[in-house]
Amino acid sequence: AKGVPCVFLLDEFDAIAKRRDDAAEVGELKRLVTVLLQEIDEWPATGLLVAATNHPELLDPAVWRRFEVQIDFPMPLEEQMRESVLRLVGDNERAATWSRVLAKALQGFSYADVEREVLRAKRQAIIRQQPFSDQLKGVIHSRSQSLSRDDRSQLALDLLETGLSQREVNEWTGVSRDTIRKAVKQVN
């Protein structure tokens, strides 16, 4: 790559540029990181070297000095997540409601994680010849357990808007029917 003008992407960079002070790593990897740093220093101006990682904390501190620009991509906000989910589930009135529910349930996920979850639910719905909403139940149920109490209550209200009963919302989220009724009264 150094011999040809190009853009060279090193994806999952943390796998080869790990901290050299990591006691768990063997000496061979530490030597590899040193050689890698030297190669980066000698990268020609005719090429662009790009590195990507989901684990910046694992990178050797010397790596950061070798790159002119560092860009952090934060996790999507709820509104951004809704737009992404809407593209994945379709563009209709029912999809708009589901996008709000899924965005709430999947908060803290990356775009790639959300896409994987939604596409997995779609595939399972097709394979099992079940409604897509049946598959979403599992996704939402597993994710709702990690949400705060307030977020779970809001998720329950959003699920009511999809046409589910309070009993079904209780099954999907674990929020008690009494709590759901109180939340509905507060909104109205």
Side-chain angles (χ1 to χ4, degrees):
K2 284 171 65 175
V4 181
C6 67
V7 176
F8 190 59
L9 171 65
L10 297 168
D11 197 12
E12 306 295 345
F13 195 50
D14 51 277
I16 59 171
K18 282 192 172 184
R19 300 178 69 91
R20 289 173 286 178
D21 61 359
D22 185 349
E25 290 301 333
V26 295
E28 190 62 34
L29 184 61
K30 293 175 184 183
R31 286 188 288 280
L32 173 66
V33 172
T34 300
V35 170
L36 177 66
L37 294 172
Q38 292 168 347
E39 291 298 319
I40 292 172
D41 285 340
E42 297 170 10
W43 195 258
T46 58
L48 179 64
L49 181 63
V50 179
T53 182
N54 290 323
H55 303 284
E57 72 281 359
L58 297 179
L59 293 177
D60 191 279
V63 167
W64 296 107
R65 295 189 298 271
R66 273 35 183 217
F67 289 89
E68 295 174 25
V69 178
Q70 290 133 27
I71 301 171
D72 181 39
F73 293 97
M75 290 297 183
L77 301 174
E78 190 172 334
E79 180 60 31
Q80 296 166 320
M81 185 70 75
R82 262 188 30 212
E83 292 172 11
S84 179
V85 170
L86 194 57
R87 283 191 295 277
L88 293 167
V89 298
D91 193 11
N92 58 53
E93 186 177 321
R94 188 145 170 86
T97 303
W98 278 112
S99 69
R100 190 169 51 254
V101 170
L102 285 168
K104 178 69 73 183
L106 297 173
Q107 68 185 140
F109 272 35
S110 69
Y111 289 117
D113 293 334
V114 170
E115 181 178 21
R116 184 183 64 248
E117 290 295 324
V118 171
L119 293 180
R120 180 183 303 145
K122 281 183 170 183
R123 277 192 302 277
Q124 290 302 313
I126 292 167
I127 291 169
R128 295 179 179 166
Q129 297 180 353
Q130 296 175 333
F132 179 49
S133 59
D134 287 359
Q135 296 305 311
L136 293 179
K137 177 181 179 180
V139 173
I140 291 170
H141 180 72
S142 67
R143 285 293 302 150
S144 69
Q145 305 312 305
S146 65
L147 297 176
S148 71
R149 181 182 170 153
D150 289 342
D151 286 340
R152 283 179 49 198
S153 294
Q154 183 59 54
L155 177 62
L157 289 174
D158 291 343
L159 280 167
L160 286 174
E161 291 182 30
T162 68
L164 295 176
S165 68
Q166 288 183 4
R167 182 186 55 77
E168 290 171 313
V169 170
N170 163 259
E171 290 173 4
W172 283 46
T173 64
V175 175
S176 74
R177 290 169 68 184
D178 189 45
T179 301
I180 294 168
R181 280 190 288 275
K182 288 177 185 176
V184 169
K185 283 182 181 180
Q186 286 179 347
V187 171
N188 295 331

